[in-house]
């Protein structure tokens, strides 16, 4: 059952997407780089040359503190897992995005915007697998494991 | 443009854009794992709003990529190096699937993970640390980048 969406939710989703897309446009046309967060993060922690990665990541890190100054309300996250689970999931995300050369911003936004069949395959794959994972966890508890 | 000035401009612009990107993640609620999980919970109480996030982002970004495909350099003189669009490998699919499991379990992907970590949310910090560890571990296999 789809939850009814109100105007504010759709508006904020669309505006958020405009900001994300706009940032990707800026990073590409001004700096010549792809706004794929897993790639930028991965290259940064491998100390690949380029201060721009660190400033971009710093901007991301600081965004929640700067957001109120531009009228964006703080978001209180509701985690789906405990700390151990988040550690395991984080490992999977780190492994998967490195092997798969991208994440929702790299493949899902930049790749699709670039009309890349490679990114389409990647995006369809991770969305379907993620949805299947949620389905299993929420609707098919198995053998009392969860 | 003098190299030092170019480098400073690249660095500063990237910082500003990281901030803007983060604003987009916050405004759209991509940083709320519950909202992401609700988007992925297609057979349950499905909240499709995140489709609008990716949809508008792709629409906004598409013309810029079309421009980049047809030109050599960015505004600040950096040569465009767009990834290969047609190289579909088993590693790509396996990696995407593994990422999908992690994303489905936690409701967090790298960008939101960084924003959450920056907000000093404990779960976000743990998640981000694990992402970094997972990424580096993957490189231990010389077959991976």
């Amino acid at each position: 059952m789809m939850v009814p969406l109100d105007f504010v939710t759709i508006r904020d989703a669309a505006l958020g997407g405009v900001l994300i897309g706009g940032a990707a446009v800026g990073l590409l046309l001004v700096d010549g780089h792809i706004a794929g967060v897993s790639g930028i993060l991965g290259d940064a922690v491998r100390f690949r040359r380029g201060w721009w990665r660190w400033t971009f990541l710093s901007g991301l890190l600081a965004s929640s503190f700067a957001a109120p100054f531009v009228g964006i309300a703080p978001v209180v996250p509701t985690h789906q897992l405990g700390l151990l689970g988040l550690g395991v999931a984080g490992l999977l995300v780190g492994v998967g995005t490195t092997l798969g050369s991208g994440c929702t911003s790299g493949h899902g936004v930049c790749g699709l915007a670039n009309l890349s069949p490679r990114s389409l395959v990647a995006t369809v794959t991770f969305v379907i697998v993620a949805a299947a994972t949620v389905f299993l966890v929420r609707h098919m508890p198995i053998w009392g494991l969860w | 443009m003098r190299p030092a000035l170019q480098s400073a401009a690249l660095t500063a612009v990237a910082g500003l854009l990281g901030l803007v990107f983060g604003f987009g993640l916050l405004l759209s609620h991509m940083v709320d794992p519950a909202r992401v999980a609700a988007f992925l919970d297609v057979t349950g109480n499905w909240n499709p709003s995140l489709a609008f996030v990716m949809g508008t982002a792709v629409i906004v970004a598409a013309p810029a990529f079309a421009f980049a495909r047809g030109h050599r350099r960015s505004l600040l003189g950096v040569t465009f190096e767009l990834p290969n669009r047609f190289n579909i490998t088993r590693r790509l699919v396996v990696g995407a699937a593994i990422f999908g499991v992690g994303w489905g379990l936690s409701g967090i992907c790298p960008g939101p993970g960084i924003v959450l970590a920056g907000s000093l949310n404990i779960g976000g910090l743990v998640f981000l640390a694990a992402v970094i560890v997972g990424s580096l571990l993957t490189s231990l296999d010389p077959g991976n980048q």
Side-chain angles (χ1 to χ4, degrees):
Chain A
M1 281 293 312
M2 193 180 101
V3 313
L5 293 184
D6 58 26
F7 169 73
V8 171
T9 302
I10 297 180
R11 178 200 68 190
D12 287 351
L15 273 179
V18 168
L19 288 175
I20 292 169
V25 168
L27 200 63
L28 182 67
L29 294 186
V30 178
D31 281 22
H33 298 301
I34 308 283
V37 176
S38 65
I40 295 172
L41 176 67
D43 285 343
V45 298
R46 288 164 177 78
F47 299 111
R48 205 167 154 197
R49 258 182 94 230
W51 291 105
W52 69 271
R53 292 186 184 85
W54 294 99
T55 52
F56 182 84
L57 293 171
S58 298
L60 273 180
L61 285 168
S63 59
S64 62
F65 289 107
F69 294 100
V70 293
I72 295 175
V75 173
V76 180
T78 302
H79 282 295
Q80 306 298 295
L81 298 168
L83 292 182
L84 186 61
L86 286 172
V88 171
L91 279 175
L92 292 172
V93 169
V95 170
T97 54
T98 303
L99 270 181
S101 308
C103 58
T104 47
S105 54
H107 283 306
V109 175
C110 295
L112 295 186
N114 194 26
L115 308 179
S116 163
R118 181 167 177 260
S119 288
L120 180 62
V121 168
T123 303
V124 167
T125 302
F126 62 65
V127 170
I128 288 181
V129 171
T133 302
V134 170
F135 174 74
L136 282 176
V137 169
R138 285 193 172 185
H139 304 293
M140 301 216 41
I142 295 177
W143 306 313
L145 277 179
W146 65 80
Chain B
M1 180 186 271
R2 286 175 47 221
L5 187 60
Q6 178 199 40
S7 183
L10 277 173
T11 306
V13 168
L16 181 66
L17 293 175
L19 216 49
V20 172
F21 197 105
F23 291 158
L25 291 175
L26 287 159
L27 185 59
S28 63
H29 287 250
M30 277 292 290
V31 298
D32 180 10
R35 179 70 73 89
V36 174
F39 168 70
L40 296 169
D41 191 10
V42 287
T43 65
N45 291 324
W46 182 47
N47 185 326
S49 58
L50 289 188
F52 288 95
V53 186
M54 197 178 280
T56 54
V58 169
I59 289 170
V60 165
F65 279 91
F67 175 89
R69 284 197 301 276
H71 290 77
R72 272 268 211 84
R73 292 186 211 285
S74 76
L75 243 122
L76 287 180
V78 179
T79 310
F80 289 125
E81 281 173 12
L82 294 178
N84 183 309
R85 293 188 288 155
F86 304 99
N87 187 23
I88 297 170
T89 63
R90 193 194 349 246
R91 177 175 298 157
L92 178 87
V93 176
V94 169
I98 294 173
F99 166 50
V101 175
W103 189 37
L105 288 174
S106 64
I108 312 173
C109 58
I114 296 172
V115 174
L116 286 173
S119 75
L120 304 178
N121 177 272
I122 304 293
L125 286 163
V126 168
F127 180 84
L128 180 60
V131 169
I132 293 172
V133 170
S135 172
L136 291 172
L137 282 178
T138 309
S139 291
L140 289 179
D141 179 347
N144 303 320
Q145 55 181 27

